[in-house]
Amino acid sequence: MIPRMNLINRSVVTFFALFILSACSSDSGPDELPSNPVSGAQENPEPNNPGTTTDPSVDSMPDSMMPVDGGDNAPGGPVAALVLSPLPSPSITEDPSANDEPIPQASELNTITSFQVVRDPAPRIPFKTQAAEFSEEDFARGLPEAVVTVPPGLDTTSNAPPFFEGLENVRVSAGDIVEIRYIPRDPEGELPGMFAQELPEGATFDDNFDGTRTLLWQTFQADVGITAFTVVAIDPVDSLYRSSQTLLIAVDENPTSVEPNIAPTIEPVTSYTVRVGDPAVVLLDGFDRNGTTPTIELLNPPATATLTPDERDPDLQWLQVIPDEVGTVTIDVLTRDEIDPELTGLDQITFFVRPASDFERSGARLKDAAAGSGLLFGSAVSPVFYLQGDGGVYESVASTEFGIMTPESSMKWDAINPVPGEFTFADMDNLMQFAALHSMSVRGHPLVWHRSLPSWVEATAVNDREVHMREFITRVMNRYGEGIDYWDVINEPLNDSDGNMRQSIWYEAMGESYIDIAFAQAKELDPTATLVLNEFDIGFAGPKFDGLLQLIDRLQARSVPLDAIGFQMHVFSSYDQFDELGANMAAVVERGLDVHITELDVAIADGGNASQQAAVYAGVVNTCQAQPRCNVLQTWGFTDRYSFRTFLDPLYLNRSYQVKDSYGAMQEALGNN
Ligand code: XIL
């Protein structure tokens, strides 16, 4: 709860009124799902989209799409491969320039002694131009329409989605407390679940233990403006029925408000398990609820601890320490208020320092066990090794266990090109250096996806999207193509579960032919790489996999240069459809394609346990090993600490990098075949 303060002015805002549900369809809601999954189904890391009721059509082919020798009616076999029209010159958004070139990090802060970490130069174009801002006009229009999503192919007569009872936009003066009670309702009378997306700074969303929750937010001058807060109601019967409700909170200037001056703090306040002798780095960000910037200093630090201002943003400070003995090292970090230096905050960063032997793993390294049967084994990798306090251990695992790596998020559009004309290549450059240093192959991921797009891309005009897509593909492949053997050209083109085409912004602009165009562009730029279509929830029989096969057949009839299908395999410990996985792989191979397991993780389902999880890891490995053309197997990370499903402990090293049953099970399965 927000501590009650001696408030100047308290405007408690609580509403009860009927809220009119309006159905509109688009991506909605974040990823959390109730934890009682359907057996075998994966946690749906993608918000579910309403299904299409029409079959995918390729009739709307843009000019660049028309095949050379006529359309589908060409006599004889499949049409010739697509010939793309040249991209416009100059490009429709500014190309990378020397201004975007990452620069060597001046102070050797990272844990990797063998290469120079590079950092992006200070942004030339303010990133905030990409944030979705809400205006007074938006506020005046009243509560935004709820975004209702239902399982593809179903409608809302069989099961009406939930809604929130009585909400309205809220207007307060800086210094007021906002208090809004969220009452989810379900027409069938059951009690829906709910979760909040990003909370306003300093706000809490408290459980009233009666099915409702209350947003409590002490506002400050720093919050003047319009803040959007979104809560998602989840149907109690079918969690794919959701209602995502955004509410706007306008905070007005209040010159008379004499706000309490809140003590500053640092972000993150956390702890790490580290290996003795590894340089540990933590980027400290001073935070002050009043919107000011505190200074940061260490109190009685260990001899090896230093603070170094970040080259791009001197308000950020790099804490570095080299724990040189086993035990617990706690570093006191003092933050001093910008207005009143006597007002301070004291936080701790804790390092649990363990001997190197604690991180040694017996038996063969996973990549070596896999190589025995010609399987390339690897994982997704993030820039943890130079951005987090446990980067040393992270590097020691990633550099020894994997023969291939996928950049978990560093090659995504919002990471590479957050605003038009601004390119931030450093993290991906560092990952490429890391892979080269450790002789790892690289999977470029993803070139075309409907998520992780900067808001400026989502806002592009439909008619420009083909060129935008091709320009992004061109820029990324030209920069990284030399070091990349596999490209996830298209990621998740199908709806979550029904096998129809996902109504993404790419599909809206080009129909299904966006796939043809993307593969043609990738083939033109890297004729020797393996080009992959990557999808989730295709590791068991069902309409989605059927839809995938139909899509493959259509693409092959159009001579799309597709080489392999990526089975993501984000599953649960209750997964047991290994036969169906094998059959699905065989069906793909029958079409002359390779099969890759690209993102394997195994979340612990309700009632599940580590040994069940291990059996699933082994089962997927065995199924892949039984298919000669399953030649790459990658997991989506390796330590639960940095998994995107972290609360479900889905990986094979725990948060302290200690092996779990799954590690040994995979090691044995990989080595047995
Ligand atoms: C996920 C990352 O793991 C998250 O850190 C990020 O916030 C969102 O994307 N399928 C994919 C991956 O193809 O790119 C997604 O990765 C997980 C689902």
Side-chain angles (χ1 to χ4, degrees):
M1 295 286 277
I2 288 183
R4 294 284 181 222
M5 298 158 200
N6 49 339
L7 301 163
I8 303 301
N9 176 9
R10 175 189 169 100
S11 157
V12 173
V13 182
T14 307
F15 291 95
F16 296 89
L18 187 59
F19 160 63
I20 308 301
L21 175 68
S22 56
C24 57
S25 65
S26 75
D27 258 356
S28 72
D31 305 336
E32 296 78 29
L33 276 180
S35 57
N36 52 343
V38 173
S39 166
Q42 78 162 7
E43 173 184 58
N44 166 8
E46 309 304 329
N48 56 301
N49 283 307
T52 52
T53 51
T54 54
D55 286 336
S57 155
V58 291
D59 296 341
S60 58
M61 285 189 181
D63 293 346
S64 65
M65 178 67 208
M66 291 318 291
V68 171
D69 59 356
D72 295 340
N73 306 318
V79 298
L82 179 67
V83 176
L84 293 172
S85 50
L87 281 169
S89 176
S91 52
I92 61 173
T93 52
E94 188 184 331
D95 281 316
S97 71
N99 294 327
D100 298 301
E101 276 313 303
I103 48 186
Q105 178 172 290
S107 30
E108 274 307 308
L109 287 171
N110 60 292
T111 55
I112 296 189
T113 53
S114 9
F115 76 72
Q116 170 68 64
V117 168
V118 294
R119 308 307 303 274
D120 289 302
R124 291 175 294 114
I125 303 171
F127 282 24
K128 65 175 179 300
T129 56
Q130 72 166 334
E133 308 276 352
F134 285 91
S135 65
E136 280 294 339
E137 293 70 30
D138 295 320
F139 187 90
R141 276 196 282 274
L143 195 72
E145 288 184 345
V147 177
V148 173
T149 47
V150 297
L154 296 181
D155 58 23
T156 56
T157 50
S158 57
N159 174 15
F163 61 96
F164 288 103
E165 189 174 83
L167 288 176
E168 288 180 357
N169 289 344
V170 169
R171 182 177 291 279
V172 295
S173 295
D176 291 347
I177 277 195
V178 172
E179 183 169 354
I180 305 173
R181 191 165 172 232
Y182 277 77
I183 306 170
R185 288 281 184 251
D186 183 65
E188 282 79 28
E190 301 288 320
L191 183 61
M194 71 175 128
F195 54 79
Q197 288 190 339
E198 191 176 347
L199 283 172
E201 200 64 75
T204 60
F205 191 51
D206 303 318
D207 192 341
N208 299 315
F209 302 103
D210 60 2
T212 70
R213 280 181 172 271
T214 296
L215 172 74
L216 271 177
W217 186 32
Q218 162 70 62
T219 62
F220 285 81
Q221 297 291 15
D223 304 311
V224 168
I226 292 180
T227 295
F229 175 58
T230 300
V231 181
V232 180
I234 299 180
D235 189 85
V237 172
D238 181 341
S239 61
L240 294 179
Y241 280 82
R242 297 181 174 186
S243 176
S244 177
Q245 178 62 63
T246 295
L247 181 148
L248 303 183
I249 303 171
V251 180
D252 296 334
E253 292 272 1
N254 178 4
T256 62
S257 153
V258 177
E259 297 173 340
N261 190 359
I262 308 293
T265 179
I266 54 164
E267 292 177 338
V269 177
T270 186
S271 63
Y272 296 97
T273 297
V274 298
R275 184 173 53 176
V276 67
D278 280 346
V281 288
V282 185
L283 186 58
L284 301 179
D285 183 2
F287 171 73
D288 189 309
R289 190 66 192 82
N290 298 98
T292 54
T293 303
T295 57
I296 301 174
E297 50 195 278
L298 304 181
L299 287 188
N300 313 313
T304 63
T306 58
L307 268 188
T308 308
D310 183 75
E311 287 117 12
R312 290 179 59 188
D313 177 352
D315 288 340
L316 301 177
Q317 298 271 349
W318 286 96
L319 164 65
Q320 184 183 37
V321 62
I322 303 179
D324 46 18
E325 56 186 33
V326 170
T328 299
V329 173
T330 297
I331 296 185
D332 288 335
V333 181
L334 185 84
T335 42
R336 208 174 281 283
D337 190 80
E338 183 179 344
I339 308 295
D340 169 10
E342 294 308 307
L343 180 60
T344 59
L346 184 60
D347 299 287
Q348 282 75 36
I349 303 286
T350 304
F351 296 93
F352 301 108
V353 187
R354 299 172 65 161
S357 56
D358 278 8
F359 302 98
E360 287 163 7
R361 296 173 296 285
S362 61
R365 297 289 54 82
L366 298 173
K367 66 179 180 182
D368 299 329
S373 59
L375 181 62
L376 183 56
F377 180 89
S379 170
V381 174
S382 290
V384 169
F385 50 87
Y386 60 90
L387 289 179
Q388 293 288 345
D390 51 3
V393 181
Y394 185 94
E395 182 210 358
S396 73
V397 175
S399 60
T400 54
E401 296 286 2
F402 309 130
I404 180 172
M405 70 127 223
T406 300
E408 178 166 357
S409 291
S410 301
M411 206 191 89
K412 289 170 180 172
W413 205 323
D414 61 354
I416 289 276
N417 184 204
V419 293
E422 188 77 38
F423 293 88
T424 43
F425 294 121
D427 283 346
M428 188 60 193
D429 286 10
N430 287 321
L431 287 174
M432 294 300 287
Q433 278 193 68
F434 178 87
L437 177 66
H438 299 296
S439 310
M440 298 163 81
S441 297
V442 179
R443 177 186 299 272
H445 169 88
L447 290 176
V448 182
W449 195 25
H450 65 285
R451 287 170 61 81
S452 295
L453 296 174
S455 49
W456 72 268
V457 171
E458 291 179 318
T460 50
V462 172
N463 294 339
D464 292 342
R465 286 186 197 149
E466 176 188 334
V467 172
H468 279 297
M469 179 181 84
R470 291 176 56 200
E471 284 185 356
F472 177 77
I473 291 171
T474 302
R475 288 163 176 160
V476 167
M477 293 186 78
N478 283 343
R479 187 176 184 90
Y480 299 114
E482 279 306 305
I484 292 184
D485 305 317
Y486 304 86
W487 291 98
D488 285 351
V489 176
I490 297 290
N491 198 30
E492 306 179 358
L494 299 174
N495 272 337
D496 289 349
S497 50
D498 70 357
N500 285 327
M501 289 301 288
R502 182 183 296 278
Q503 307 291 298
S504 67
I505 65 166
W506 311 117
Y507 186 87
E508 181 188 15
M510 296 166 264
E512 187 176 291
S513 65
Y514 83 90
I515 299 178
D516 307 48
I517 294 166
F519 272 94
Q521 184 71 69
K523 193 69 178 177
E524 195 176 279
L525 292 162
D526 193 344
T528 61
T530 298
L531 303 183
V532 184
L533 184 150
N534 193 42
E535 188 55 89
F536 71 88
D537 266 4
I538 55 173
F540 45 88
K544 185 164 187 176
F545 183 73
D546 297 343
L548 173 73
L549 287 185
Q550 291 155 22
L551 172 60
I552 293 171
D553 292 343
R554 294 196 298 275
L555 296 176
Q556 291 185 323
R558 301 199 296 264
S559 304
V560 171
L562 168 65
D563 301 315
I565 297 295
F567 287 63
Q568 289 187 11
M569 296 304 286
H570 293 289
V571 297
F572 282 88
S573 52
S574 50
Y575 177 83
D576 59 6
Q577 291 100 323
F578 303 109
D579 294 346
E580 294 175 18
L581 173 60
N584 290 3
M585 288 180 172
V588 169
V589 167
E590 277 163 23
R591 288 160 170 78
L593 301 174
D594 285 343
V595 169
H596 299 165
I597 303 288
T598 51
E599 305 183 12
L600 176 61
D601 56 20
V602 183
I604 302 278
D606 269 0
N609 58 47
S611 62
Q612 287 171 338
Q613 179 185 50
V616 175
Y617 272 104
V620 173
V621 168
N622 291 334
T623 307
C624 173
Q625 297 267 28
Q627 171 48 258
R629 293 192 66 175
C630 179
N631 43 37
V632 182
L633 193 154
Q634 293 180 256
T635 58
W636 201 247
F638 51 91
T639 167
D640 290 335
R641 174 161 184 148
Y642 294 112
S643 165
F644 86 123
R645 303 169 81 189
T646 184
F647 297 112
L648 296 164
D649 297 336
L651 292 166
Y652 40 99
L653 299 185
N654 67 18
R655 287 172 177 71
S656 304
Y657 297 86
Q658 302 305 298
V659 297
K660 298 160 64 174
D661 297 353
S662 301
Y663 180 87
M666 252 197 313
Q667 191 181 48
E668 183 184 350
L670 289 168
N672 281 350
N673 297 285

